[in-house]
Amino acid sequence: MYVSKSQGWLARPSKAYGFAAIVTVVCLACGLALRSIVDPVPRTIFVLVIGIVTHYAGRGPAVVALLGSAVLGHLAGLWPNTTPGLVATVFLLIAGAGVIWVISSLERTWLALAREHDRREILQSVSAELDQSLDYRQTIPAATKLIVPRFADWCAVLIRHDGELERVATVAADPGKLSIVADLGERNPIEPEARHGAGKVLRTGEPELVPYIDQQNLAELFPDPSHREKLRTLDIRSYVCAPIQREDRVLGVITLAMSESGRVYAQDDLQLVMLLASRIAIAIENAQLFQTAQVDRASAQEANRAKDDFLAMLGHELRNPLAPIRTALELMKLREPDALVHERTVIDRQVSQLVALVDDLLDVARIARGLVELHRRPVSLLDVVAKGVETASPLVESRQHELRIDIDPRLVVDGDPLRLAQVVANLVTNAAKYTAPHGTIEVTGQRRGDSAVLAVRDTGIGIPADMLSRVFDTFVQAPQAIDRAGGGLGLGLTIVKSFVELHGGKVTASSNGPGAGTVFEVVLPLLAAQPAVATAEPPPEHVPRRGRVLVVDDNPDALSMLADALEQVGYTTARAHDGPSALAVAADLHPDVALLDIGLPVMDGYELARRLREVDAGVKLVAVTGYGRPGDFDRSQRAGFAAHLVKPISISTVESTLDRLVTSSS
């Protein structure tokens, strides 16, 4: 139980002084009765009485008892009014003062220690309970049960929620009064302009302490008769109300009251109540911050999902029109190899650039979500550089750069050859963009300790010192002229950094400033024991069987171009623009392979694939689509597709895929 000096029926000063007077008079009466037996009556008896009064009523009443004993003792004739008698009385006063000082000092010290111990214990237990969960509607009721009855006979906590006051907790030491306390809050709502109580505390943000409540000040504190009658039923003796606030925001109030225990609150109790209110405020704020963070996180996840969906849709919608353009170019080459060579080359280069931009956007989205998967194996750095340079060669050649390559053929790393080739292609492309025509690009690879170091140097515009730390950030580019001859989205180097770090390496950029060229250096760990990198032997030559192919696409241009190109290389084709017509054609054609667009009207490509399998279980299915995320590949594989080709695709890729599938089926 929380230690309080002011408790019981002696809590009020008037009762304490009355107790001292009564005890003094009783002792004098007993002294008069004893005078017939012992004369004079020993003054030590009164010293004992003074000690009793000091313990139960305090120092003030004890002083009254001391002086009263001295004066009344002489007036009543207990002690002679002679000089020795008066001297003995003086010694009585001195001894009594000593008793008062010793007892009050000891009690004050003990009381302070006991109260401090209880205060820490209450705060620790309440804080521990509030830390159990971020749901304050559960923790606050549990915490108030630790306050009652140790520090209050009943307690109520009200919290502001969406502009309204919500009673979060109501606890009473006497279970019979719990319903009265709850009913008091329901039938007597908080008045914002009230002169006393929770309304005043909510309005002002200042605590209110009423040490003693009696019939007189009860009417002043609570003018509402029905409210006052409820409080009389509760027999409230003392009350304190404190704001639950963080900085200048009042989040609610905590009200504590004493009733049947007879204890009262003193001024120093207010400090503990404010600390309890502060702990509750922290718990509420933490819960609100967590809830806000959860909402923000959900919003961010939804925004991220919407972004990914948008990028997937963007990739699909951009790839779809590019597909018939590239197929038409290859069909033109098949029909008239020597016609419009320069024009076809220009168109093909621009289509390739658009495809690269789309791929960069989708790669950055996958990197941001941690969805990039590496298919690692021992790979020669020389092979990686060869593939990367091949990808970047159209831009290098168009700007007439001199490209020098010097790679140690013994360098072997554990990596994904496609992603590492993309790193090389992006670095060489970046060098080609920012180097004036007829410049020099040098790609070197050498061993440095246990690492392979790949460097791409150029004689280009260089990088200002203030941009070196940001050159790998998303969408960051060196300043360009208004014609944006360099082009790009500022994603290539971001992809380079991410892919290199996924391989356990690092990439750095250095430059001596504008006009001094740039050096990008990629450091990758070498394999501890470098195995010989297997070189695939060319497959034996064979004459592929040209089978029957069903082509389904809702884009008329893409459909006609792809079917025409396949017919040009010897395949028998049938065409359909949606699912139902494809099923009808398949029933007559019995195709060896079906090339299906995924985003079809009426029924999508997955549903069409299932229906085609029901018609002909032996048909091979190939997805030809603008959707190219890892999840799209996985889904098409689960749906039974033998291959997943991402638009725009070259005729040679389609032809090799068909040859493999037709040959395997035969």
Side-chain angles (χ1 to χ4, degrees), residues 487-529:
L489 299 174
L491 300 176
L493 294 180
T494 302
I495 294 170
V496 166
K497 182 174 185 291
S498 299
F499 286 171
V500 169
E501 290 178 349
L502 285 173
H503 282 83
K506 63 179 181 179
V507 59
T508 57
S510 60
S511 175
N512 290 327
T518 305
V519 179
F520 285 92
E521 191 173 85
V522 176
V523 181
L524 296 169
L526 284 169
L527 282 177

